Every structure is written in structure tokens, then in C-alpha cells.
Amino acid sequence: RAMFEILEKKVWLAEEPRIVEFLVKAPEIARAHHAGQFVIVIPVEGGERIPLTIADSDAKAGTISLVFQEVGASTIMLGRLEKGQKIPHVAGPLGKPTHIEKFDGAVVCVGGGIGIAPIHPIAKAMKAAGNHVISILGARSKNLLIYEDRMKAASSEIRITTDDGTYGKKGFVTDELKGIIEGGTKVGCAVVIGPPIMMK
């Protein structure tokens, strides 16, 4: 049975609840992965099933990136694993991939908080399909902003907002989106992932 080794561990946010990222060796999943898909992870034998979106994948290296927030017993248990240790069960890729095409108009990818991680592979795929990708990233504060460099690489342009104004523009991603639309940019598609209040 395949065991899924953690090749790298990064703690994005050290204060509670921590945001943790694992780079996991999973060649078959990496090869089959499409933007928008997820995996089911079981952190310990007999443990709870945790669905996690694949934040990045590299078919050549045979790796996937998983980003999660330690919010319950199972994610805290998962977060205790260290580099070199193995995750007993990772099943996937699961779910319907995001529809990717060359749209008439810009593609706006909006990621809020931990929602930035799952929006990343979508932005990457949309850009690879020849779209002009405008990514809007939002976080409560600068220290909560994740994946900025990777989103820059996956986008044609990037805009950042923080609720408290510690980084980027003070305000919400919704204000930026409104500004883009009202500014006359033709938007062919918008993909939005974040907390329910933002999605609304």
C-alpha cells in the first residue's frame, strides 16, 4: 500500500488556528489531478476523513500541495505530522474539475483567506489556457495572506486587500471586483472561493 510521505512542511500562520502546508509525494494523484479537484486525507489509522483541495500539483516531481487550517481534532492531528513522516491514507483526485476554457473577457479569480490555496490551481490553468487572469486576494491582515508569490506567477495581474489595511488596499475583495467591473473591464468568468460571507 502506498504511503504518502511529507517532503516539506510550512506553517503559514503560527498563531492558532495555524495554517499548515504539506508537500506530499503522491505520483499517481499528481499525474491525474485537474484544477478544482480534492483529496480525502486520513491523518491516522482509523481517523476521520478530511477533504482537502489540492492547492498545487507537479506531475513531473510526483507531488501535491495541501493547505489546511487546524480547526478541529483531525486537522490538528494532521498538523502534528512532520517532514519525513507519512500520511496513511490520501485518496483522489476526487470531484468535478473546474471548467477551463479561453473566455471572451478577463477571468477574475477571487480568493479570501484560506480560499486562496484552492483558487491557485484554477488561476494557473486559466492562464495556461490563454486567459488574462486578474486575481484578487483578500485576508483579514497581512500575516494571514498566503500564496502571494504563487498567485503572482499564476496571474496576469494581482490585487490585494486586507480588512485592516496592513497590506495592499484596505477593504474587501468584493470592492476590488466591483471596481474592475465598473471600470469597464470585460469579465468573461469569475471564480470565487472564500468564507461564506465573502461568497455571498
Side-chain angles (χ1 to χ4, degrees), residues 79-156:
R80 289 214 179 108
L81 295 174
E82 295 296 338
K83 181 181 168 174
Q85 287 187 288
K86 294 180 171 79
I87 303 169
H89 302 279
V90 182
L94 303 166
K96 191 170 174 272
T98 303
H99 176 73
I100 306 290
E101 64 165 281
K102 171 82 174 75
F103 286 91
D104 180 22
V107 172
V108 183
C109 291
V110 185
I114 191 121
I116 296 170
I119 208 104
H120 172 255
I122 298 169
K124 203 164 134 180
M126 287 289 191
K127 192 179 176 193
N131 290 291
H132 181 81
V133 177
I134 304 169
S135 290
I136 307 171
L137 312 183
R140 286 201 311 274
S141 190
K142 186 183 192 318
N143 67 329
L144 293 168
L145 186 75
I146 63 167
Y147 263 52
E148 184 187 350
D149 291 346
R150 269 182 261 192
M151 284 302 293
K152 271 188 182 143
S155 315
S156 314

Side-chain angles (χ1 to χ4, degrees), residues 8 11-12 43-44 59 67 73 85 97 103 118 120 122 155 163 166 180 183 190:
E8 284 173 33
V11 178
W12 281 94
V44 288
V67 177
Q85 287 187 288
F103 286 91
H120 172 255
I122 298 169
S155 315
D163 298 5
T166 45
I180 288 167

